[in-house]
Amino acid sequence: MATLPTGGAMKRRSSSIFGIWLPLAAVPAFALLLAFSLIRMLDVESNMRVDAEQNMLWVLHQAEVAALRLTSTIALAEAGAASTDDVALRFDILQSRIALLHAGPQHRFIEQINFTDTLDQLSRTLDSLVPEIAAFTPNAGPGLRSQLAPFARRLGQAANVAMITEWDDLGGRLEAQRQQLHQAIASLVGIMIAGAVLTVTLIQALRQSHRRNRMLRRERDFSALLIASSGEGILAVGNDGRCTLWSSAMADITGKSEGQAMGKALADIANFFATPAVDQGVTRALDGTASRLTLQPLIQPGGATTLHVDLHAFPMRDDGAVLGAILLLHDASDRYAAQQKQALDRDRLEELVIERTQDLDSALQRERSAAELYRNFAAMVSHQFRTPLAVADSALQRLIRRGSRARPDEIIERANRARGAIAGLTRLVDSTLDTARLDAGQISTRQVECDLGKIVEAVCTRQRQATPSHRLVLHKESDNDSIALCDPAHAEHVLENLLSNAIKYAPPEASITVSMHGDEQTLSCDVHHDGEPIPEHDRAHLFERNYRGASSVGIAGTGIGLFMARTLIRMQGGELSLQPDSHGVTFRLTLPRVAGAKT
């Protein structure tokens, strides 16, 4: 006949379910929910990214503007207000804009909005116009303008479609992010529930552990009483506090014989028993409460040796009445020495851990900085390398169009211009690689004597060729005092960044002023444009990595240019700062002069 489980068996089964299986089930659930929420949050973060280089509305708008400007320049050329070179330049710009639409992600987007056939037709039209542009005359203007008339209209239509497509895509991303956030919130609620289960289980386990520890301590004390006849010192006292038992081991520990101890008060036998901690322990034992003192110092007679002993005090009972107390003394000097050594080793280990942690933190910081720089490398290439490539491409395309009609001096001039742009690009690549190694702590910067004025003039010349719509004005105090101590490639990189930012944020057709000045110790270069002043709340964070202010909305960029520029300048002993200016924006680059230079 089967028997029903007793109340104790049911209680143990319930305790086993809630004490073991529920926490075991909560742990993987906690891990799975946490992983799921992290994945969803990563998905949300990935979907929230917007790649500036894929902004097709901007690209199509630039192509439309290039077509309108070419048509306007042709009309001006008919009236004699523009030259054939101006017409050729605008035609080159339009060709580069159309060519950009045929490349990479732009071409995939063009296919997505079914603009491929129209774009191919526009490209063929441009190819057919190359001979007419090369041999342009004012009489050919009306014909050219009629052939270019569809460009602006069709590119504008494509821009409208691009805007609608991008808004639809943004709406889809936002809806997906909303769903993912709801899932992540639900996962976090599950994590909180699993955490609560684990917390309750842990509290119960701690209570059971504490109760079992108390029982173990009592059993250990009882066992110690049974083996008291071993090498431990034993003494007994009556209710009057006088010694009634004194073992030989106690005589060895204290240096007092049995005859010197029997019948005397403990405080009269040895000063050890008169110490407050030992006296209180004996008093509690006489009151019926066991006590234990560890590593108490015991000075032997003559003061030559100090022992450290463990003291156990137990009450002696008879039918519930306390008759006296039994004291057990154990020489724990070896343990005390071991603990002292362990404490010294622990302190030394903590110092080593702190030192190693600092080293690891430094290495981790360098690794994070290097990884961050590598992640931003592609953005910096798009941001910094485009200008010299555009200059070289423009010069070489002009030579190709001119063909055999190009004069030798013209070939030399444009070849030198392309070569100079490529040389600057090479220096920028070397500088970028040096910056990555510097950020990883692998190399140090260098300072050489270089003519900062020539570097400024070269950078301004390239910017004028790349962006003829903005006027660059260079002011120098003297032609003989522009020698500075710096890394030429780094200095050129920083100036390229400052001028590029000035062109991006300056109003259309505005002039940009570059001024050089200095004193006996430093040489400064100010880059100023008449744009809107930078708001006060952005000025303090402008040079931080990946920070973009309120004025950068709608303007392509990554937020690493100014951070890298200041880092490069400070490595050369200089400074890059934003000057207080109520009329426009002024950045000042300051480098140390060569000792003994004229001012």
Side-chain angles (χ1 to χ4, degrees), residues 24 155 159 180 192 203 205 207 211 251 273 335 368 372 382 404-405 427 450 489 523 534 560 580 584:
L24 289 178
L155 290 172
Q180 292 170 353
M192 293 175 62
I203 293 174
R207 293 180 59 186
R211 183 168 57 252
F273 299 104
R335 190 173 84 248
R368 286 177 177 172
E372 183 68 19
S382 174
S404 59
R405 294 181 291 105
R427 290 193 300 271
C450 64
L523 183 63
I534 296 176
I560 65 172

Side-chain angles (χ1 to χ4, degrees), residues 88 92 95 130 134 394 396-403 405:
D92 290 344
Q95 272 191 320
V130 170
S394 175
L396 293 175
Q397 284 191 24
R398 187 63 183 274
L399 283 177
I400 293 172
R401 287 197 304 273
R402 296 284 291 173
R405 294 181 291 105

Side-chain angles (χ1 to χ4, degrees), residues 247-442:
S247 68
S248 59
M250 183 66 74
D252 295 336
I253 294 174
T254 61
K256 299 290 185 178
S257 65
E258 183 178 1
Q260 294 174 318
M262 291 298 292
K264 294 183 180 180
L266 294 181
D268 296 334
I269 298 173
N271 292 332
F272 171 77
F273 299 104
T275 59
V278 175
D279 182 64
Q280 291 177 6
V282 174
T283 302
R284 285 197 298 271
L286 293 174
D287 290 339
T289 303
S291 62
R292 178 188 181 191
L293 301 174
T294 60
L295 300 179
Q296 297 297 311
L298 189 154
I299 302 175
Q300 291 187 321
T305 306
T306 300
L307 301 178
H308 287 81
V309 298
D310 293 340
L311 171 66
H312 298 263
F314 302 95
M316 291 189 299
R317 301 178 184 273
D318 184 16
D319 294 335
V322 178
L323 302 178
I326 295 179
L327 276 66
L328 305 178
L329 264 70
H330 173 71
D331 187 358
S333 299
D334 293 340
R335 190 173 84 248
Y336 175 79
Q339 288 185 359
Q340 293 298 310
K341 185 177 183 302
Q342 183 180 8
L344 293 175
D345 293 341
R346 183 173 59 250
D347 294 340
R348 177 56 183 163
L349 181 60
E350 289 178 355
E351 293 177 358
L352 293 176
V353 169
I354 292 173
E355 293 176 0
R356 186 57 180 165
T357 301
Q358 292 174 348
D359 294 340
L360 291 176
D361 288 341
S362 299
L364 180 60
Q365 185 62 33
R366 291 195 300 268
E367 181 66 21
R368 286 177 177 172
S369 300
E372 183 68 19
L373 186 61
Y374 295 146
R375 284 195 295 271
N376 292 328
F377 180 76
M380 188 184 67
V381 168
S382 174
H383 182 67
Q384 299 292 343
F385 289 13
R386 186 173 296 166
T387 298
L389 287 175
V391 172
D393 182 67
S394 175
L396 293 175
Q397 284 191 24
R398 187 63 183 274
L399 283 177
I400 293 172
R401 287 197 304 273
R402 296 284 291 173
S404 59
R405 294 181 291 105
R407 300 187 308 274
D409 57 343
E410 182 181 1
I411 294 175
I412 293 174
E413 177 191 354
R414 297 192 180 278
N416 286 334
R417 183 181 303 171
R419 187 172 180 272
I422 293 172
L425 180 61
T426 302
R427 290 193 300 271
L428 188 55
V429 170
D430 293 338
S431 175
T432 301
L433 294 177
D434 287 342
T435 303
R437 289 192 289 268
L438 281 170
D439 201 44
Q442 298 175 354

Side-chain angles (χ1 to χ4, degrees), residues 152-230:
R153 183 179 68 258
R154 293 180 180 178
L155 290 172
Q157 293 172 353
N160 292 335
V161 174
M163 180 176 66
I164 295 172
T165 302
E166 290 182 354
W167 275 107
D168 290 341
D169 180 65
L170 178 60
R173 283 207 308 265
L174 291 176
E175 182 62 29
Q177 291 168 8
R178 186 180 298 108
Q179 295 177 0
Q180 292 170 353
L181 285 176
H182 289 166
Q183 295 174 355
I185 291 173
S187 299
L188 292 176
V189 172
I191 291 173
M192 293 175 62
I193 294 174
V197 172
L198 292 176
T199 302
V200 172
T201 304
L202 178 61
I203 293 174
Q204 293 178 349
L206 289 175
R207 293 180 59 186
Q208 293 179 359
S209 176
H210 185 65
R211 183 168 57 252
R212 290 171 181 173
N213 286 337
R214 286 202 308 268
M215 295 175 62
L216 288 175
R217 284 196 297 269
R218 292 176 182 174
E219 292 177 359
R220 182 185 58 192
D221 293 339
F222 179 75
S223 299
L225 182 61
L226 294 178
I227 62 173
S229 59
S230 61

Side-chain angles (χ1 to χ4, degrees), residues 23 33 85 145 158 184 254 285 378 505 522 539 570:
L33 290 173
D85 288 340
R145 285 190 287 108
T254 61
Y505 294 101
T522 60
R539 298 173 73 92
R570 285 183 172 178

